[in-house]
Amino acid sequence: METASEKSESLALKPDRPVGIIGYGAYVPRYRLPATQVARLWSGEGEGDLPVKEKSVAGLDEDVATMSIEAARNALSRAGISPSALRAVWVGSESHPYAVKPTSTIVAEAIGATPYIQAGDWEFACKAGTEALVAAIGLVGSGMGRYALAIGMDIAQGQPGDALEYTAASGGAAYVIGPADESLAVIEATFSYVTDTPDFWRRAHQVYPSHGQRFTGEPAYFKHISNAAQTLMESLGTKPADYRYAVFHQPNTRFPQMVGKRLGFSDEQIKPGLLSPVIGNTYAGAALIGLSAVLDVASPGDCILVTSYGSGAGSDAMHICVTSAIEERRSRAPLTRDYIARRSEIDYATYARYRGKIRMK
Amino acid sequence: MEVPRYWRLQKQRYALVGEICPHCQVKIFPPRDVCPECGGEAKQPFSFSGKGTVFSFTTMYDAPKGFEMNTPYTVALVKLEEGPVVTAQLTDLGEQPVEIGMPVEMVTRRIREDEEDKGIIVYGYKFRPVMAGTH
Amino acid sequence: MCDVVIAGIGQVPVGEHWGVPLRTLAARAMLAAQRDAGGLKPQALYVGNLLSPVVSHQSNLGTLLADNAGMSGIEAFTVEAAEASGAGALRAGYLAVLSGYVDVAMVVGVEKFTDAVGPVIEGAMSETMDYDFEATNGLTPTAAAAMVMRLYMQTYDLPSDGLAGFPVLAHENALNNPNAYFRRALTREGYARAAMLSTPLNLYDKAPYADGAAAVILTRPDRLKKALEHPLVQVRGSGAAIDTLALHDRHDPLAFHAAVVAIQNACRHAGILPADVQVFELSDNFSVYAALCLEAGGFAQRGAGWKLANGDELSLKGRLPVCTMGGMKARGNPAGASGVYQVVEACLQLRGEAGANQVRDARRALTLCLGGPASTAVCHVLQTWQ
């Protein structure tokens, strides 16, 4: 009879050949909407318990395609490979600029990766980015292709006045996946935990998503992240102390801290990858840009646990170990914090204009 | 913008792909059929670095059709480090005043949108102030 | 080579002719020119027009305008060269008569802006630029002029109102022109207060787009069966040249090389020097272009053209009167018709019919019309025929 630990062992996803991150690149747009601006409009001047300090807002001329292009260029700069060596360009998002027409072809064309590639857009709420990343691990790990590009990027939309309006933000990160021996960080294993849990959704033709309020917490976010992270650690025989850093999907400031604590992680392990207080929730980009911020500061030998969460619902957990290649490649592109530091504060009116909330027709 | 017209210049617009003259090695953007320096024909594609400086600029308050939603916006002549000058919008200026000689770098952005939300989105090069931390 | 003379001129007041269609606007100028030429019937019509295919959705203006004006059966077509279209049409008419193939040619410049309003107009004007690499990036002719103006002001260290002299002079000269769009004075203070259109270019640095039509009849003097009631004006020289279409392709955007070449060619053709004229109708569609036209003609050193407008030299009593009937700035700028208005106004000066704005002893005039930032330049030398 199969024991519990044997079952866990068989659950971890491991590629046939070792793979890792060859290059990574973040993108955060320039504009910031302080949470107090949202509060002033919808709930009075009180600055009580706001979910984040401020959120990043994309400019008038930005969308998931343009932001993905910049993140991808940064990732390619770090990878040091020719874009034509990529065999897949995959973009995970819940705010693709077209309902029908791939974002990934625009990105692939702009970075010079066409035409000998797989290309496709991924959709799984906030875990579309890590879903694309796991697929890239599979493509490279099976030997089908040497390099693949996976991106998680969003321009998240929160309904005016809704709790999500404080946090729904813009940004994300891109990853070039390739053979482990060329990696700046090796991805040892992944594990995904998925159920049909309707905590957050958007029907076709609707501009703004709907959500289950407090239902998004315990049966959704906490259950899936905990199960994914826990099972991956069990299957690998690791414990929280084995990780220098842990990154969890970050819809606000509190949830990732709470889930981290429950799993046995300290604030020190979580803080370097916790960007939601200063950029908000970048949805499909959130876990991946948390990881890019960690890679910006990690040292060779450090292990990182990354666990995304996508409503609907599921979590992808990943065990990543940093190699010595990190030191040199890190400096080949702007750091995540460079983008965060590049900051112009805007008021609610400017935000409403930039994000198309003023009715023009 | 008409789809075929947009599509055939994608490489040039998305990534500043110009040409290098095989006869006199001058770098050319936008592409031309005859080299403006030596009069030779037949060019090879050349990807520009996207680094340059502002040669002149203007902030426009009166937009043509397709750009009405973007006013005011700033257009510049940008001198690329490889030589040619291009016309492009500046973006992400924030509070930074623009000056002649200011270093800028290429980014790919939404350029224009026609037919309200129904038509294709035109993407292309714009320039922004060089970001801190860019190497 | 034979002499080519202007036997008749006609123009309509520049302005917003909401109730008048393009064909009627043109017909009024055409028929006025024909009457002025003693009823002379043209064998050919050359139309200068820029916007009609875009703004009025009307092509083949040659046939439309000739047909509408009762000139069935003649030769007719359009010349398009951005805002230099009218001047280009004049050159086509001049060459046709000069060649001997056409005895009597009519040239009409017509522009109908008021078939559309707002961003459509700026968009249509932008199509005179490199559509793929200028207009698609949001550039308009106004924005291109603004970038030239910024370079000019920075390179030559101009004060912020350094170019004010051009619009102030144009408005002053338009006061006595019944065909002018703006017949009111402009002060330097008014200029300084004006709203920005495209920094550093303000409302008064740009000539206002407006409807208009102007026409001339060209012929050989021996074709005139009877003497006319007015003097004849001879087209003594003609020159045209291009530069790069896009401003970004210029080695020196402040050189206006096409204007230099067009003026040189026209003057060489006429056997004169630019300094031998008493009137200069130049392109002041943007105030900085007026300064650059003066420099292109050698009337000022590079970077010094703007200074001429700050003294009396360019006024009606000055050394080189310009924009004598208000120029494009105050008479109004009917784009593709402007080049013909310039010639009609120069004829008024050379015929002694400029009324209160008459330049004393005007015998020879230079007209210079630009398309874009001198992407195209067309120049003519006119003089009283004897």
Side-chain angles (χ1 to χ4, degrees):
Chain A
M1 210 182 114
E2 198 177 42
T3 67
S5 72
E6 275 166 349
K7 175 129 195 320
S8 299
E9 172 68 27
S10 65
L11 285 174
L13 300 164
K14 288 186 175 179
D16 279 353
R17 64 165 183 175
V19 304
I21 298 166
I22 310 294
Y24 69 95
Y27 184 73
V28 182
R30 177 174 195 123
Y31 306 98
R32 301 286 179 279
L33 180 69
T36 50
Q37 282 282 333
V38 183
R40 185 178 67 81
L41 205 69
W42 297 109
S43 61
E45 294 285 350
E47 291 192 21
D49 191 20
L50 299 174
V52 295
K53 180 174 162 279
E54 59 189 19
K55 68 169 183 176
S56 57
V57 179
L60 270 176
D61 57 1
E62 298 188 275
D63 62 22
V64 164
T66 68
M67 301 197 305
S68 296
I69 289 165
E70 179 152 351
R73 284 180 178 144
N74 287 337
L76 283 165
S77 294
R78 286 206 173 91
I81 62 164
S82 161
S84 57
L86 292 170
R87 299 307 302 270
V89 174
W90 286 326
V91 183
S93 179
E94 60 173 78
S95 44
H96 291 288
Y98 288 92
V100 177
K101 193 208 167 297
T103 306
S104 52
T105 55
I106 303 168
V107 175
E109 195 78 49
I111 62 174
T114 51
Y116 305 130
I117 46 159
Q118 300 299 119
D121 294 355
W122 298 72
E123 196 282 314
F124 191 149
C126 296
K127 92 169 184 81
T130 52
E131 188 72 37
L133 189 64
V134 172
I137 293 166
L139 186 93
V140 176
S142 69
M144 282 179 73
R146 191 171 180 86
Y147 303 108
L149 177 66
I151 303 170
M153 192 66 67
D154 251 311
I155 294 190
Q157 293 283 331
Q159 189 166 30
D162 188 83
L164 294 183
E165 192 174 35
Y166 290 93
T167 56
S170 306
Y175 290 84
V176 176
I177 302 301
D181 56 7
E182 298 175 31
S183 297
L184 56 82
V186 175
I187 303 172
E188 305 277 359
T190 76
F191 173 72
S192 296
Y193 182 90
V194 171
T195 70
D196 183 0
T197 304
D199 60 323
F200 169 101
W201 62 91
R202 180 164 65 82
R203 295 282 300 273
H205 310 301
Q206 293 299 301
V207 176
Y208 298 112
S210 306
H211 58 86
Q213 312 271 358
R214 291 185 63 80
F215 183 69
T216 60
E218 212 50 60
Y221 179 88
F222 291 101
K223 174 182 162 186
H224 291 80
I225 288 195
S226 300
N227 273 303
Q230 199 71 54
T231 309
L232 181 65
M233 286 193 287
E234 277 170 19
S235 71
L236 298 177
T238 56
K239 50 192 187 304
D242 295 329
Y243 296 93
R244 176 89 186 269
Y245 304 103
V247 178
F248 301 106
H249 176 59
Q250 33 203 272
N252 50 41
T253 307
R254 211 160 50 90
F255 275 25
Q257 291 174 320
M258 281 172 64
V259 82
K261 188 169 280 183
R262 280 193 204 180
L263 286 165
F265 290 91
S266 68
D267 280 353
E268 290 67 41
Q269 286 166 296
I270 292 170
K271 208 175 168 205
L274 184 59
L275 305 182
S276 57
V278 287
I279 64 167
N281 178 7
T282 55
Y283 284 48
L288 292 180
I289 196 168
L291 174 60
S292 79
V294 165
L295 290 172
D296 285 345
V297 296
S299 304
D302 288 346
C303 287
I304 306 164
L305 179 74
V306 180
T307 312
S308 65
Y309 172 72
S311 289
S315 282
D316 301 322
M318 287 174 224
H319 176 99
I320 298 169
C321 292
V322 178
T323 75
S324 56
I326 187 81
E327 307 280 12
E328 188 266 329
R329 278 186 224 173
R330 183 146 57 202
S331 62
R332 292 185 191 167
L335 301 174
T336 313
R337 65 167 173 270
D338 294 329
Y339 282 103
I340 295 173
R342 184 188 72 134
R343 174 184 173 282
S344 290
E345 201 172 302
I346 56 173
D347 60 10
Y348 195 92
T350 306
Y351 164 70
R353 182 183 176 198
Y354 280 7
R355 298 305 353 130
K357 294 176 197 304
I358 299 175
R359 186 171 175 156
M360 303 297 288
K361 52 186 181 284
Chain B
M1 189 175 208
E2 300 77 9
V3 171
R5 188 164 191 176
Y6 165 65
W7 164 81
R8 80 171 72 96
L9 288 174
Q10 270 169 350
K11 282 201 192 305
Q12 288 85 343
R13 286 224 181 82
Y14 287 2
L16 273 183
V17 177
E19 296 167 325
I20 182 163
C21 175
H23 311 290
C24 71
Q25 307 307 312
V26 75
K27 280 131 185 165
I28 302 164
F29 192 94
R32 302 175 76 98
D33 292 297
V34 174
C35 174
E37 297 302 323
C38 75
E41 282 185 51
K43 279 15 141 295
Q44 295 145 359
F46 176 83
S47 286
F48 285 82
S49 68
K51 304 283 184 200
T53 52
V54 172
F55 183 68
S56 190
F57 67 97
T58 180
T59 299
M60 296 171 57
Y61 297 95
D62 215 3
K65 199 161 163 35
F67 298 86
E68 304 99 310
M69 294 299 133
N70 296 64
T71 51
Y73 60 91
T74 301
V75 178
L77 294 172
V78 174
K79 184 158 179 55
L80 301 175
E81 66 180 13
E82 295 90 347
V85 176
V86 298
T87 299
Q89 286 188 33
L90 300 183
T91 188
D92 285 354
L93 291 168
E95 299 79 26
Q96 191 163 344
V98 185
E99 285 173 1
I100 290 176
M102 181 173 92
V104 290
E105 60 191 1
M106 189 272 280
V107 290
T108 307
R109 293 293 172 92
R110 290 162 81 113
I111 301 291
R112 64 184 292 179
E113 224 175 317
D114 297 327
E115 303 165 59
E116 296 179 333
D117 285 341
K118 285 190 195 162
I120 52 155
I121 304 163
V122 177
Y123 295 95
Y125 49 82
K126 292 192 181 183
F127 288 78
R128 71 170 173 213
V130 171
M131 243 186 82
T134 311
H135 303 275
Chain C
M1 279 197 297
C2 66
D3 289 350
V4 177
V5 295
I6 296 173
I9 58 176
Q11 61 177 321
V12 300
V14 175
E16 296 179 351
H17 294 277
W18 297 104
V20 185
L22 185 147
R23 67 188 73 181
T24 305
L25 206 57
R28 288 178 185 174
M30 291 161 69
L31 297 176
Q34 200 170 9
R35 276 194 300 275
D36 190 52
L40 203 59
K41 291 200 183 314
Q43 298 158 331
L45 174 69
Y46 303 100
V47 180
N49 175 269
L50 167 58
L51 294 172
S52 177
V54 180
V55 170
S56 305
H57 310 295
Q58 180 66 63
S59 299
N60 205 359
L61 285 190
T63 298
L64 173 74
L65 301 186
D67 175 26
N68 177 62
M71 299 173 183
S72 229
I74 69 166
E75 163 192 341
F77 51 79
T78 304
V79 174
E80 190 274 302
E83 299 99 311
S85 298
L90 182 81
R91 181 167 161 84
Y94 167 68
L95 294 178
V97 175
L98 190 69
S99 72
Y101 282 99
V102 173
D103 293 333
V104 182
M106 176 177 276
V107 175
V108 63
V110 59
E111 208 65 83
K112 181 71 188 158
F113 276 94
T114 55
D115 276 350
V117 289
V120 173
I121 295 297
E122 280 300 302
M125 291 302 293
S126 297
E127 293 184 14
T128 61
M129 318 176 73
D130 185 330
Y131 190 79
D132 281 334
F133 295 100
E134 289 186 309
T136 295
N137 290 318
L139 194 73
T140 60
T142 307
M147 291 202 287
V148 171
M149 182 169 164
R150 186 182 299 280
L151 276 176
Y152 188 82
M153 293 181 76
Q154 178 139 338
T155 305
Y156 301 118
D157 199 21
L158 265 66
S160 62
D161 67 346
L163 292 162
F166 292 104
V168 167
L169 174 69
H171 276 258
E172 191 179 308
N173 289 351
L175 286 172
N176 297 312
N177 178 3
N179 292 303
Y181 189 19
F182 289 131
R183 298 183 66 187
R184 53 187 164 78
L186 169 70
T187 62
R188 294 189 82 95
E189 293 70 39
Y191 175 90
R193 279 197 308 270
M196 281 292 160
L197 294 181
S198 190
T199 59
L201 188 149
N202 80 27
L203 183 68
Y204 292 114
D205 289 311
K206 179 188 182 180
Y209 298 136
D211 299 339
V216 300
I217 288 191
L218 300 165
T219 190
R220 300 194 306 271
D222 59 19
R223 281 281 303 163
L224 291 167
K225 293 191 180 69
K226 55 180 185 199
L228 298 172
E229 290 170 6
H230 54 75
L232 295 175
V233 172
Q234 183 185 4
V235 181
R236 196 69 188 78
S238 176
I242 62 147
D243 202 330
T244 64
L245 179 63
L247 191 59
H248 56 232
D249 285 329
R250 306 270 171 92
H251 287 296
D252 180 358
L254 298 179
F256 275 21
H257 190 64
V260 173
V261 174
I263 293 171
Q264 279 174 356
N265 288 351
C267 288
R268 189 183 303 123
H269 184 180
I272 64 157
L273 293 171
D276 296 334
V277 303
Q278 290 83 42
V279 169
F280 184 19
E281 292 298 339
L282 47 70
S283 273
D284 63 330
N285 47 342
F286 299 102
S287 54
V288 67
Y289 291 0
L292 292 171
C293 283
L294 289 166
E295 294 171 24
F299 299 107
Q301 295 288 317
R302 292 284 306 274
W306 65 282
K307 291 179 184 164
L308 294 182
N310 290 331
D312 288 333
E313 284 185 88
L314 305 180
S315 67
L316 295 170
K317 292 188 168 60
R319 174 173 68 96
L320 181 73
V322 304
C323 304
T324 61
M325 302 306 283
M328 297 177 188
K329 173 65 201 77
R331 173 243 294 138
N333 181 14
S338 285
V340 186
Y341 272 94
Q342 289 180 322
V343 169
V344 166
E345 289 162 354
C347 284
L348 291 175
Q349 291 291 357
L350 299 176
R351 279 157 52 158
E353 296 172 357
N357 283 11
Q358 185 61 50
V359 172
R360 266 184 55 187
D361 300 328
R363 297 173 319 280
R364 194 180 287 127
L366 195 64
T367 62
L368 174 64
C369 196
L370 306 181
S375 300
T376 306
V378 182
C379 181
H380 286 95
V381 175
L382 308 175
Q383 69 181 41
T384 314
W385 185 76
Q386 13 226 328

